[in-house]
Amino acid sequence: QVQLVESGGGLVQAGGSLRLSCAASGIRVSFNNMGWYRQAPGKERELVAEIAIGRTVYADSVKGRFTISRDNAKNTVYLQMNSLKPEDTGVYYCRSTTMGGDYWGQGTQVTVSS
């Protein structure tokens, strides 16, 4: 059974930093595409960052501020978020794209105050 558990969200002032974690079980993060998505109130879910073998992808809105990484030994994917802005507010979800299908975590709330 695949499980993705996000943590690390919270309330932060603009300009601050947070690090989100996505702990995976039932899959190996090193072998699969792993991504972070977010959904703001009233908006569609959007890709924030993705990491695959040999490449990373970032939304234009977060380039230079966010960094996605993974620790294969801990089977965990991270999203380091710096210089946070109020428009970064939303629920952040971890996603794994595998040969057996797509899996999502339950999400973690990030709120950036101005």
mmCIF file of all heavy atoms in Angstrom, residues 74-101:
data_model
loop_
_atom_site.group_PDB
_atom_site.id
_atom_site.type_symbol
_atom_site.label_atom_id
_atom_site.label_comp_id
_atom_site.label_asym_id
_atom_site.label_seq_id
_atom_site.Cartn_x
_atom_site.Cartn_y
_atom_site.Cartn_z
ATOM 1 N N LYS A 74 16.149 8.056 3.510
ATOM 2 C CA LYS A 74 14.958 8.278 4.338
ATOM 3 C C LYS A 74 13.676 8.100 3.535
ATOM 4 O O LYS A 74 12.580 8.204 4.094
ATOM 5 C CB LYS A 74 14.994 9.682 4.944
ATOM 6 C CG LYS A 74 16.117 9.887 5.945
ATOM 7 C CD LYS A 74 16.066 11.275 6.554
ATOM 8 C CE LYS A 74 17.168 11.449 7.576
ATOM 9 N NZ LYS A 74 17.144 12.794 8.201
ATOM 10 N N ASN A 75 13.815 7.879 2.233
ATOM 11 C CA ASN A 75 12.660 7.722 1.349
ATOM 12 C C ASN A 75 11.707 8.912 1.480
ATOM 13 O O ASN A 75 10.476 8.744 1.607
ATOM 14 C CB ASN A 75 11.917 6.406 1.618
ATOM 15 C CG ASN A 75 11.219 5.882 0.381
ATOM 16 O OD1 ASN A 75 11.669 6.067 -0.750
ATOM 17 N ND2 ASN A 75 10.104 5.192 0.579
ATOM 18 N N THR A 76 12.271 10.094 1.459
ATOM 19 C CA THR A 76 11.535 11.325 1.716
ATOM 20 C C THR A 76 11.897 12.383 0.678
ATOM 21 O O THR A 76 13.067 12.474 0.269
ATOM 22 C CB THR A 76 11.845 11.848 3.127
ATOM 23 O OG1 THR A 76 11.420 10.871 4.090
ATOM 24 C CG2 THR A 76 11.126 13.163 3.413
ATOM 25 N N VAL A 77 10.903 13.146 0.284
ATOM 26 C CA VAL A 77 11.095 14.269 -0.631
ATOM 27 C C VAL A 77 10.831 15.555 0.143
ATOM 28 O O VAL A 77 9.916 15.609 0.973
ATOM 29 C CB VAL A 77 10.140 14.168 -1.837
ATOM 30 C CG1 VAL A 77 10.302 15.367 -2.757
ATOM 31 C CG2 VAL A 77 10.414 12.890 -2.598
ATOM 32 N N TYR A 78 11.625 16.569 -0.151
ATOM 33 C CA TYR A 78 11.518 17.846 0.553
ATOM 34 C C TYR A 78 11.199 18.980 -0.415
ATOM 35 O O TYR A 78 11.521 18.910 -1.603
ATOM 36 C CB TYR A 78 12.822 18.169 1.281
ATOM 37 C CG TYR A 78 13.245 17.123 2.266
ATOM 38 C CD1 TYR A 78 14.190 16.158 1.924
ATOM 39 C CD2 TYR A 78 12.693 17.085 3.550
ATOM 40 C CE1 TYR A 78 14.575 15.186 2.826
ATOM 41 C CE2 TYR A 78 13.079 16.109 4.457
ATOM 42 C CZ TYR A 78 14.022 15.166 4.088
ATOM 43 O OH TYR A 78 14.392 14.206 4.987
ATOM 44 N N LEU A 79 10.612 20.025 0.120
ATOM 45 C CA LEU A 79 10.455 21.276 -0.617
ATOM 46 C C LEU A 79 10.902 22.397 0.315
ATOM 47 O O LEU A 79 10.213 22.712 1.285
ATOM 48 C CB LEU A 79 9.008 21.490 -1.063
ATOM 49 C CG LEU A 79 8.784 22.726 -1.937
ATOM 50 C CD1 LEU A 79 9.462 22.538 -3.301
ATOM 51 C CD2 LEU A 79 7.288 23.001 -2.132
ATOM 52 N N GLN A 80 12.067 22.951 0.026
ATOM 53 C CA GLN A 80 12.563 24.098 0.775
ATOM 54 C C GLN A 80 11.995 25.353 0.141
ATOM 55 O O GLN A 80 12.207 25.597 -1.052
ATOM 56 C CB GLN A 80 14.088 24.132 0.750
ATOM 57 C CG GLN A 80 14.681 25.328 1.462
ATOM 58 C CD GLN A 80 14.444 25.311 2.958
ATOM 59 O OE1 GLN A 80 14.582 24.268 3.590
ATOM 60 N NE2 GLN A 80 14.074 26.452 3.522
ATOM 61 N N MET A 81 11.290 26.140 0.929
ATOM 62 C CA MET A 81 10.623 27.333 0.426
ATOM 63 C C MET A 81 11.200 28.551 1.136
ATOM 64 O O MET A 81 11.067 28.678 2.357
ATOM 65 C CB MET A 81 9.116 27.245 0.651
ATOM 66 C CG MET A 81 8.483 25.977 0.087
ATOM 67 S SD MET A 81 6.685 25.967 0.195
ATOM 68 C CE MET A 81 6.462 25.926 1.967
ATOM 69 N N ASN A 82 11.835 29.411 0.371
ATOM 70 C CA ASN A 82 12.422 30.646 0.905
ATOM 71 C C ASN A 82 11.729 31.855 0.305
ATOM 72 O O ASN A 82 11.053 31.759 -0.722
ATOM 73 C CB ASN A 82 13.914 30.692 0.596
ATOM 74 C CG ASN A 82 14.690 29.546 1.199
ATOM 75 O OD1 ASN A 82 14.361 29.065 2.282
ATOM 76 N ND2 ASN A 82 15.731 29.104 0.507
ATOM 77 N N SER A 83 11.932 32.986 0.932
ATOM 78 C CA SER A 83 11.356 34.257 0.446
ATOM 79 C C SER A 83 9.870 34.100 0.148
ATOM 80 O O SER A 83 9.384 34.480 -0.923
ATOM 81 C CB SER A 83 12.105 34.726 -0.806
ATOM 82 O OG SER A 83 13.478 34.897 -0.547
ATOM 83 N N LEU A 84 9.162 33.526 1.079
ATOM 84 C CA LEU A 84 7.745 33.233 0.865
ATOM 85 C C LEU A 84 6.925 34.503 0.688
ATOM 86 O O LEU A 84 7.214 35.545 1.304
ATOM 87 C CB LEU A 84 7.201 32.404 2.018
ATOM 88 C CG LEU A 84 7.588 30.923 1.949
ATOM 89 C CD1 LEU A 84 7.437 30.254 3.303
ATOM 90 C CD2 LEU A 84 6.746 30.202 0.904
ATOM 91 N N LYS A 85 5.909 34.391 -0.156
ATOM 92 C CA LYS A 85 5.014 35.501 -0.449
ATOM 93 C C LYS A 85 3.586 35.108 -0.089
ATOM 94 O O LYS A 85 3.263 33.912 -0.067
ATOM 95 C CB LYS A 85 5.071 35.820 -1.954
ATOM 96 C CG LYS A 85 6.463 36.138 -2.481
ATOM 97 C CD LYS A 85 6.434 36.327 -3.987
ATOM 98 C CE LYS A 85 7.817 36.622 -4.537
ATOM 99 N NZ LYS A 85 7.800 36.815 -6.021
ATOM 100 N N PRO A 86 2.726 36.072 0.154
ATOM 101 C CA PRO A 86 1.328 35.735 0.463
ATOM 102 C C PRO A 86 0.679 34.878 -0.624
ATOM 103 O O PRO A 86 -0.159 34.015 -0.306
ATOM 104 C CB PRO A 86 0.658 37.107 0.563
ATOM 105 C CG PRO A 86 1.744 38.008 1.038
ATOM 106 C CD PRO A 86 2.986 37.515 0.343
ATOM 107 N N GLU A 87 1.070 35.069 -1.864
ATOM 108 C CA GLU A 87 0.477 34.280 -2.946
ATOM 109 C C GLU A 87 0.946 32.826 -2.942
ATOM 110 O O GLU A 87 0.459 32.017 -3.730
ATOM 111 C CB GLU A 87 0.754 34.917 -4.316
ATOM 112 C CG GLU A 87 2.202 35.260 -4.575
ATOM 113 C CD GLU A 87 2.512 36.721 -4.262
ATOM 114 O OE1 GLU A 87 2.046 37.237 -3.213
ATOM 115 O OE2 GLU A 87 3.256 37.342 -5.069
ATOM 116 N N ASP A 88 1.880 32.465 -2.076
ATOM 117 C CA ASP A 88 2.282 31.069 -1.921
ATOM 118 C C ASP A 88 1.332 30.314 -0.985
ATOM 119 O O ASP A 88 1.474 29.099 -0.813
ATOM 120 C CB ASP A 88 3.704 30.969 -1.361
ATOM 121 C CG ASP A 88 4.746 31.516 -2.317
ATOM 122 O OD1 ASP A 88 4.638 31.237 -3.535
ATOM 123 O OD2 ASP A 88 5.668 32.207 -1.848
ATOM 124 N N THR A 89 0.399 31.015 -0.406
ATOM 125 C CA THR A 89 -0.551 30.386 0.505
ATOM 126 C C THR A 89 -1.386 29.334 -0.201
ATOM 127 O O THR A 89 -1.851 29.549 -1.331
ATOM 128 C CB THR A 89 -1.480 31.451 1.115
ATOM 129 O OG1 THR A 89 -0.701 32.311 1.949
ATOM 130 C CG2 THR A 89 -2.592 30.822 1.936
ATOM 131 N N GLY A 90 -1.583 28.211 0.467
ATOM 132 C CA GLY A 90 -2.402 27.142 -0.091
ATOM 133 C C GLY A 90 -2.134 25.828 0.607
ATOM 134 O O GLY A 90 -1.318 25.757 1.535
ATOM 135 N N VAL A 91 -2.825 24.803 0.160
ATOM 136 C CA VAL A 91 -2.559 23.452 0.639
ATOM 137 C C VAL A 91 -1.550 22.817 -0.314
ATOM 138 O O VAL A 91 -1.770 22.819 -1.531
ATOM 139 C CB VAL A 91 -3.845 22.608 0.710
ATOM 140 C CG1 VAL A 91 -3.529 21.199 1.207
ATOM 141 C CG2 VAL A 91 -4.876 23.278 1.609
ATOM 142 N N TYR A 92 -0.490 22.298 0.236
ATOM 143 C CA TYR A 92 0.579 21.704 -0.562
ATOM 144 C C TYR A 92 0.464 20.177 -0.483
ATOM 145 O O TYR A 92 0.382 19.608 0.613
ATOM 146 C CB TYR A 92 1.936 22.170 -0.048
ATOM 147 C CG TYR A 92 2.275 23.564 -0.493
ATOM 148 C CD1 TYR A 92 1.566 24.661 0.004
ATOM 149 C CD2 TYR A 92 3.283 23.808 -1.432
ATOM 150 C CE1 TYR A 92 1.849 25.952 -0.421
ATOM 151 C CE2 TYR A 92 3.576 25.091 -1.858
ATOM 152 C CZ TYR A 92 2.861 26.157 -1.359
ATOM 153 O OH TYR A 92 3.143 27.437 -1.773
ATOM 154 N N TYR A 93 0.474 19.569 -1.664
ATOM 155 C CA TYR A 93 0.313 18.137 -1.775
ATOM 156 C C TYR A 93 1.549 17.497 -2.394
ATOM 157 O O TYR A 93 2.154 18.048 -3.328
ATOM 158 C CB TYR A 93 -0.885 17.794 -2.663
ATOM 159 C CG TYR A 93 -2.216 18.273 -2.160
ATOM 160 C CD1 TYR A 93 -2.705 19.524 -2.512
ATOM 161 C CD2 TYR A 93 -2.996 17.462 -1.333
ATOM 162 C CE1 TYR A 93 -3.938 19.964 -2.058
ATOM 163 C CE2 TYR A 93 -4.234 17.895 -0.878
ATOM 164 C CZ TYR A 93 -4.693 19.144 -1.245
ATOM 165 O OH TYR A 93 -5.917 19.569 -0.785
ATOM 166 N N CYS A 94 1.877 16.323 -1.930
ATOM 167 C CA CYS A 94 2.926 15.514 -2.512
ATOM 168 C C CYS A 94 2.287 14.505 -3.468
ATOM 169 O O CYS A 94 1.225 13.944 -3.159
ATOM 170 C CB CYS A 94 3.670 14.785 -1.395
ATOM 171 S SG CYS A 94 5.011 13.715 -1.925
ATOM 172 N N ARG A 95 2.927 14.301 -4.589
ATOM 173 C CA ARG A 95 2.406 13.362 -5.584
ATOM 174 C C ARG A 95 3.525 12.470 -6.074
ATOM 175 O O ARG A 95 4.647 12.918 -6.297
ATOM 176 C CB ARG A 95 1.821 14.125 -6.778
ATOM 177 C CG ARG A 95 1.313 13.231 -7.911
ATOM 178 C CD ARG A 95 0.988 14.056 -9.135
ATOM 179 N NE ARG A 95 0.403 13.263 -10.196
ATOM 180 C CZ ARG A 95 0.169 13.719 -11.422
ATOM 181 N NH1 ARG A 95 0.457 14.965 -11.739
ATOM 182 N NH2 ARG A 95 -0.377 12.936 -12.339
ATOM 183 N N SER A 96 3.183 11.192 -6.275
ATOM 184 C CA SER A 96 4.113 10.252 -6.871
ATOM 185 C C SER A 96 3.501 9.685 -8.144
ATOM 186 O O SER A 96 2.349 9.236 -8.126
ATOM 187 C CB SER A 96 4.424 9.121 -5.904
ATOM 188 O OG SER A 96 5.222 8.149 -6.545
ATOM 189 N N THR A 97 4.249 9.743 -9.212
ATOM 190 C CA THR A 97 3.811 9.184 -10.482
ATOM 191 C C THR A 97 4.589 7.897 -10.718
ATOM 192 O O THR A 97 5.800 7.934 -10.931
ATOM 193 C CB THR A 97 4.059 10.176 -11.625
ATOM 194 O OG1 THR A 97 3.413 11.413 -11.329
ATOM 195 C CG2 THR A 97 3.522 9.625 -12.941
ATOM 196 N N THR A 98 3.893 6.778 -10.635
ATOM 197 C CA THR A 98 4.553 5.475 -10.758
ATOM 198 C C THR A 98 3.926 4.681 -11.897
ATOM 199 O O THR A 98 2.876 5.067 -12.430
ATOM 200 C CB THR A 98 4.420 4.668 -9.460
ATOM 201 O OG1 THR A 98 3.095 4.136 -9.365
ATOM 202 C CG2 THR A 98 4.693 5.525 -8.235
ATOM 203 N N MET A 99 4.537 3.567 -12.223
ATOM 204 C CA MET A 99 3.974 2.693 -13.254
ATOM 205 C C MET A 99 2.636 2.121 -12.809
ATOM 206 O O MET A 99 1.804 1.740 -13.645
ATOM 207 C CB MET A 99 4.952 1.581 -13.600
ATOM 208 C CG MET A 99 6.214 2.067 -14.273
ATOM 209 S SD MET A 99 7.274 0.735 -14.836
ATOM 210 C CE MET A 99 6.251 0.003 -16.093
ATOM 211 N N GLY A 100 2.423 2.065 -11.501
ATOM 212 C CA GLY A 100 1.168 1.529 -10.978
ATOM 213 C C GLY A 100 0.085 2.568 -10.803
ATOM 214 O O GLY A 100 -1.036 2.230 -10.404
ATOM 215 N N GLY A 101 0.406 3.818 -11.093
ATOM 216 C CA GLY A 101 -0.585 4.877 -10.978
ATOM 217 C C GLY A 101 -0.058 6.073 -10.214
ATOM 218 O O GLY A 101 1.099 6.101 -9.794
#
